[in-house]
Amino acid sequence: MTSTEIIFVENMRCRGCANTIESTLIKIPGVQGVDISLTDKKVCVMGIGIDRDLIIKTLEKIGYPLSGKNSFFRKAVSFIACSSGR
């Protein structure tokens, strides 16, 4: 059965950020699709047997932590990820 995880993140500013997030999350086992709203800073991940904790850890690693969990380091990482996603 397909499920959806909705995650609100920090540091997402542009289509480059969205591209980086999408291309990274789609590699996680079970993930079948990723839908991103830049306006709402929302990441929707669809798939079978997806692991919410793994998704959150992956987002943090590339600089897009959960809303309210930001740091200077994560902001810096997100700038690099954003640039590579363009």
Side-chain angles (χ1 to χ4, degrees):
M1 175 177 235
T2 303
S3 62
T4 301
E5 292 292 339
I6 299 172
I7 301 167
F8 292 90
V9 298
E10 298 275 353
N11 304 329
M12 189 166 50
R13 295 169 296 283
C14 67
R15 193 67 218 155
C17 296
N19 289 340
T20 298
I21 291 169
E22 185 174 358
S23 65
T24 302
L25 294 182
I26 202 72
K27 295 175 187 173
I28 295 175
V31 173
Q32 297 175 328
V34 179
D35 185 41
I36 296 173
S37 169
L38 288 170
T39 306
D40 299 326
K41 299 189 183 309
K42 179 171 70 172
V43 178
C44 297
V45 182
M46 294 77 65
I48 298 173
I50 53 178
D51 182 344
R52 181 179 176 85
D53 290 334
L54 178 57
I55 293 166
I56 291 169
K57 286 178 186 174
T58 301
L59 287 167
E60 287 175 351
K61 185 176 179 182
I62 61 172
Y64 303 97
L66 290 173
S67 289
K69 304 277 185 178
N70 212 359
S71 68
F72 177 77
F73 176 75
R74 288 183 178 139
K75 285 181 186 180
V77 170
S78 74
F79 278 110
I80 295 166
C82 172
S83 296
S84 68
R86 291 184 184 179

